[in-house]
Amino acid sequence: MKAFTFAFLTGACLTAQVASAQNLPHIGYVYPAGGRQGSTFQVVVGGQYLGSATNLLVTDGGVTAELRDYSRPMTQREFNELREQMEELRKKRQALQSKGKNRKAPARGWTAADERLFAEVRMKLAKFQRRPPNPAIAETVTLSVSIAADAKPGQRELRLRSATGLSNPMVFKVGVLPEVAEKPETTKEERPAAFRRLVPETPVNPPEMTVAIPVVVNGQIMAGDVDRIKFRAREGQKLVIAASARELVPYLPDAVPGWFQATLALFDSKGREIAYDDDFRFHPDPVLFFTAPANGEYAVEIKDSIYRGREDFVYRIEIGELPFVTGVFPMGANAGSEATAELSGWNLREQTLNVPARPGSMGIEQLHPRSGDATANPIPFERGDLPEILEQEPNNDKSAAAPVKLPVVVNGRIDAAGDADLFRFEGKAGMEIVAETAARRLNSPLDSILTLAGPDGKTVAANDDFEDKGAGLTTHQADSRILVKLPADGVYTLQLADTQGKGGIEYAYRLRLSAPQPGFELRVVPSSVTVRAGGTVPLTVYALRKDGFDGEILISTDEGDAGVVLSGARVPPGVEQVKITLTASNSRQGDIFPINLEGRALVGGKVVTRPVVPAEDMMQAFFYRHLVPSKEMLVCVSGAFPQRWPVQIASDLPVKIPEGGTASVRLTMPRANSDRAQVTLCEPPEGITIRKIAPWARGTEIILACESGKAKPGTRGNLIFEPQFARAPANKKASGTRNPMGSLPAVPFEIVK
């Protein structure tokens, strides 16, 4: 028997607490999305439910903010009140004018303050919109942000703290270059006709901006906008013009293709276009590399590829003789060994990068090469635990296929257009072999294809694209993977090529060739958790299983995370997604603290531990969903329960539900309260429903039903119950209300025959 305790809310505080849980602040954009060390500047944050914002949280420290202003669309009620006020003012002016002989003369008694109020109300009424064009970014908070002179440069995460809780994270950059910014934009094409009559239209395109390089230019693109930035360059200067747009707002849920698709065009002093880019290889954000042919003035233009735009089309453009890495080789190393990587790119003082050993550190990390006093763009670098070799040419046909001994990771390049790299190895009938490339995930332009041929020369397996669900920011999955059982003894040949026949020094890859290496990665959503003191909230854990691993994974917190308790903290065998719950068991109202989760599993007889990476579940273009990693997971304790009713789950766990049958879960609580309690299931597994809720001697009994054919025997996971308190109507004519009261700790279940 296992019991969990849950706290119910009562009284007048209930409605406010529920609203807090439902209306968490959500950020749609930040403008500007960064600033320079040692500067203070104005930042506008756009989103929803921002009205009770109190302060700003930025990872890695050194950034502070003060709230300056809050703006939101007018409600219908406020519009009606203003209209009544306008009518009263109009009647007052007419009454005063009627007393005079000259109706056209100013009314005696009608003051300058009355006139100002009349004009102000008239303007507010003209701006009213029944349906804001973009409700998800209709509210704004303006802050004064200060960045310390010694703040660590690089990419951060920004969150808003409000009375209701903590917002989602957004990208915020701290830089070292001078920065300039346009004034914050507001939607122009959606303005009501009455407002356009009162306020003349401004030009679609803002005036040209002239800057001195090096510089970071911040701006927003509205519908139809083309922003133009002028600068002077000297003959021979090797300039990098790099835009960040999709990097700042990775996915737009209500726009196609799902992000701001920026384009860059460069013009000389005579207005001739001399360079253009709409992406950097497969990255949507464009980069121009340009050697100035002469002293003079140049101009760069930025716009959306199909002239869309609105407030969340935010950009940052870096312009100058800046270091920029375009290629690295090798793109990874054994975690226990030091490595020296060759760098290629622009304005790099050093052509090599020493990478220290990091035993036990597996997966992809970001390196930050320095060039003099400047830091280049971050580059991904993969660490593994297999032996590693360098590809040796020539190996571009079957007769010259390079022999390899499994297991191995080959670091190689497709050196030229039309090139292919071939490798041969000894295989036995029944052996399971994995061949997998890591290239696109490591910023290589290679679009790989793998083809495995048997001893008889016939194709055994082939693959072009394999989806890595852990690569949440890679929208074109172009890495290849083969998992195959060998049909016969003999020598097998594996060919690796580019599907488009391209090649070059930057077409690098890492090829793993081994028996299956069962393992896993973990993600948890959301990365910003708001919970009441003593309350419980659900989290979703995703298990990214690798090479056939289907074992159980146990989730736990660091020993230092004593303020929270996890329930249902396990991913059952074979399950890829499960809901667990977090309870703020020993936290105080107002607390904000990071937590670190980890997963443990038995793999090949050994205990393997992996971090649970916090992430945001983002929607792209109305349909696609991506798990975008966050830097940290924060818990915000937003409030406390004013009154507690002890509720316990008084059933044996896990709850065993027969296929096609029913099972019960009993909740203990005071009888007077249990009569008014209702319970719903949060995103239950398919086929599992609540059949009935009935009184029980010590509380409430929930009868669960399992529909045959939908939930198969052996299915395991957690059920998340969400109690509701039924409030009696004030009178016979009024209807009662039901108010949700959060979640119960996760209840493990299993479907049985």
Side-chain angles (χ1 to χ4, degrees):
M1 182 82 68
K2 190 171 182 180
F4 292 116
T5 300
F6 178 73
F8 276 157
L9 287 175
T10 62
C13 294
L14 186 142
T15 302
Q17 294 288 347
V18 169
S20 297
Q22 293 175 338
N23 297 333
L24 294 177
H26 187 273
I27 301 177
Y29 70 91
V30 176
Y31 178 74
R36 188 185 189 184
Q37 293 170 319
S39 65
T40 297
F41 52 99
Q42 182 175 288
V43 168
V44 175
V45 177
Q48 282 182 300
Y49 309 121
L50 309 182
S52 60
T54 56
N55 64 308
L56 199 65
L57 301 176
V58 180
T59 55
D60 296 332
V63 182
T64 58
E66 292 183 7
L67 185 65
R68 296 298 189 199
D69 189 28
Y70 166 68
S71 176
R72 61 169 174 79
M74 190 188 309
T75 65
Q76 183 67 52
R77 178 178 178 179
E78 291 168 335
F79 173 77
N80 294 338
E81 291 173 351
L82 280 174
R83 190 165 55 181
E84 291 174 2
Q85 186 180 11
M86 171 69 99
E87 183 63 19
E88 290 174 1
L89 288 168
R90 188 183 62 80
K91 289 180 179 178
K92 177 181 177 181
R93 185 169 64 178
Q94 286 181 343
L96 292 171
Q97 285 178 334
S98 65
K99 295 179 180 180
K101 297 180 180 180
N102 185 359
R103 293 290 183 91
K104 295 182 179 181
R108 296 181 63 182
W110 180 259
T111 66
D114 290 332
E115 187 64 34
R116 285 195 299 271
L117 180 59
F118 185 85
E120 180 182 333
V121 172
R122 184 185 179 204
M123 182 68 73
K124 289 180 178 180
L125 289 172
K127 292 172 66 175
F128 174 69
Q129 294 174 306
R130 295 183 186 278
R131 295 181 180 178
N134 306 304
I137 54 174
E139 300 178 33
T140 61
V141 168
T142 303
L143 306 108
S144 176
V145 173
S146 297
I147 302 178
D150 60 351
K152 181 181 176 181
Q155 184 168 306
R156 314 286 195 88
E157 284 181 347
L158 175 152
R159 292 173 170 88
L160 267 184
R161 168 73 187 275
S162 78
T164 59
L166 202 59
S167 78
N168 57 303
M170 292 294 288
V171 171
F172 187 82
K173 291 190 172 186
V174 174
V176 298
L177 298 178
E179 301 217 4
V180 297
E182 297 178 344
K183 292 180 63 176
E185 293 278 9
T186 56
T187 303
K188 293 191 282 285
E189 73 280 2
E190 297 290 346
R191 298 187 308 172
F195 184 67
R196 292 198 297 270
R197 287 193 296 270
L198 290 173
V199 181
E201 288 283 358
T202 56
V204 172
N205 295 327
E208 293 179 336
M209 181 185 298
T210 300
V211 298
I213 61 174
V215 70
V216 176
V217 179
N218 296 274
Q220 291 167 284
I221 292 293
M222 305 301 285
D225 273 2
V226 179
D227 284 3
R228 187 178 179 89
I229 302 118
K230 287 185 176 181
F231 61 91
R232 296 194 66 83
R234 301 187 311 273
E235 180 180 354
Q237 276 191 297
K238 300 186 70 172
L239 300 180
V240 174
I241 305 173
S244 296
R246 191 261 186 167
E247 178 186 12
L248 305 177
V249 184
Y251 294 107
L252 298 173
D254 57 348
V256 178
W259 53 77
F260 168 17
Q261 181 59 67
T263 70
L264 290 177
L266 186 64
F267 299 86
D268 63 15
S269 58
K270 295 182 179 180
R272 295 174 298 196
E273 183 179 299
I274 53 179
Y276 176 86
D277 191 37
D278 60 359
D279 54 37
F280 176 57
R281 296 175 181 159
F282 56 89
H283 288 292
D285 288 340
V287 182
L288 292 177
F289 304 104
F290 169 68
T291 301
N295 295 341
E297 189 174 68
Y298 297 85
V300 62
E301 288 186 351
I302 182 170
K303 63 177 180 62
D304 179 71
S305 61
I306 52 177
Y307 293 94
R308 302 167 304 159
R310 62 188 190 190
E311 294 90 335
D312 52 358
F313 279 47
V314 175
Y315 68 80
R316 286 168 62 85
I317 303 177
E318 296 182 350
I319 309 173
E321 291 182 285
L322 310 174
F324 195 97
V325 177
T326 58
V328 58
F329 184 82
M331 299 187 297
N334 186 286
S337 304
E338 294 183 358
T340 300
E342 302 171 8
L343 302 179
S344 56
W346 279 58
N347 302 320
L348 303 177
R349 293 189 184 180
E350 302 292 336
Q351 304 300 317
T352 59
L353 177 66
N354 294 322
V355 184
R358 292 186 60 184
S361 178
M362 306 287 290
I364 298 175
E365 63 177 294
Q366 298 292 324
L367 302 181
H368 299 82
R370 292 192 61 81
S371 182
D373 295 332
T375 301
N377 52 304
I379 55 176
F381 192 82
E382 184 179 52
R383 297 183 186 269
D385 58 358
L386 296 180
E388 305 222 358
I389 63 171
L390 296 178
E391 171 222 358
Q392 299 293 325
E393 293 282 359
N395 63 342
N396 57 352
D397 59 42
K398 186 176 181 180
S399 63
V404 294
K405 182 179 180 180
L406 278 56
V408 69
V409 172
V410 181
N411 293 279
R413 290 185 176 110
I414 300 300
D415 297 295
D419 186 22
D421 290 346
L422 281 78
F423 307 91
R424 57 184 173 88
F425 62 91
E426 291 283 344
K428 297 290 186 181
M431 284 179 59
E432 279 194 316
I433 295 296
V434 174
E436 181 177 13
T437 59
R440 185 57 57 87
R441 287 168 287 181
L442 299 173
N443 284 357
S444 168
L446 177 67
D447 186 351
S448 64
I449 182 169
L450 290 174
T451 307
L452 181 65
D456 57 1
K458 295 182 179 179
T459 298
V460 175
N463 180 256
D464 178 7
D465 296 335
F466 172 78
E467 181 182 7
D468 179 359
K469 294 181 180 179
L473 290 171
T474 303
T475 52
H476 180 195
Q477 302 269 353
D479 289 337
S480 309
R481 183 177 184 274
I482 291 172
L483 171 60
V484 63
K485 183 177 289 187
L486 302 182
D489 294 353
V491 177
Y492 288 78
T493 304
L494 180 69
Q495 175 180 288
L496 191 161
D498 184 82
T499 56
Q500 302 178 56
K502 296 181 179 180
I505 190 174
E506 290 156 0
Y507 282 69
Y509 62 81
R510 285 171 58 79
L511 170 64
R512 172 170 71 99
L513 193 54
S514 70
Q517 288 190 299
F520 60 93
E521 293 181 14
L522 296 165
R523 303 286 186 269
V524 60
V525 173
S527 63
S528 298
V529 180
T530 298
V531 60
R532 293 177 293 234
T536 300
V537 292
L539 309 174
T540 304
V541 174
Y542 296 86
L544 312 179
R545 299 178 179 272
K546 298 180 179 295
D547 287 7
F549 172 72
D550 63 356
E552 180 182 62
I553 306 170
L554 301 179
I555 311 297
S556 62
T557 63
D558 278 356
E559 292 182 0
D561 297 331
V564 299
V565 172
L566 300 180
S567 300
R570 58 188 289 273
V571 183
V575 173
E576 296 183 345
Q577 176 181 338
V578 67
K579 282 191 174 294
I580 67 173
T581 55
L582 178 149
T583 301
S585 59
N586 191 28
S587 301
R588 295 174 301 176
Q589 181 176 348
D591 286 351
I592 294 182
F593 52 90
I595 63 168
N596 297 295
L597 307 183
E598 64 178 20
R600 300 190 320 277
L602 196 63
V603 182
K606 297 181 179 180
V607 175
V608 174
T609 302
R610 292 286 182 266
V612 183
V613 178
E616 289 295 307
D617 181 3
M618 292 188 176
M619 178 179 284
Q620 171 202 353
F622 304 96
F623 181 76
Y624 305 99
R625 306 200 76 93
H626 305 273
L627 295 176
V628 178
S630 300
K631 290 183 178 294
E632 66 179 1
M633 185 175 188
L634 288 181
V635 174
C636 172
V637 184
S638 65
F641 289 107
Q643 181 176 343
R644 300 190 177 189
W645 293 348
V647 178
Q648 293 184 330
I649 299 172
S651 300
D652 291 333
L653 301 178
V655 176
K656 297 184 182 294
I657 312 173
E659 181 189 21
T662 62
S664 69
V665 176
R666 290 178 171 176
L667 307 180
T668 64
M669 66 178 74
R671 181 61 186 270
N673 301 328
S674 64
D675 290 343
R676 292 178 286 163
Q678 300 294 324
V679 181
T680 60
L681 276 174
C682 172
E683 299 180 17
E686 185 179 11
I688 298 180
T689 58
I690 293 179
R691 174 72 59 83
K692 183 181 178 182
I693 299 175
W696 170 56
R698 289 162 41 200
T700 295
E701 183 175 40
I702 304 169
I703 309 299
L704 299 170
C706 175
E707 187 176 344
S708 296
K710 288 192 174 181
K712 298 180 181 179
T715 300
R716 285 177 280 187
N718 294 321
L719 298 175
I720 308 297
F721 292 104
E722 296 183 335
Q724 297 177 340
F725 178 70
R727 300 182 66 186
N731 52 64
K732 293 183 179 181
K733 295 183 178 180
S735 58
T737 60
R738 292 182 180 179
N739 295 299
M741 292 172 281
S743 302
L744 290 178
V747 177
F749 77 92
E750 180 180 358
I751 305 300
V752 298
K753 290 185 178 180

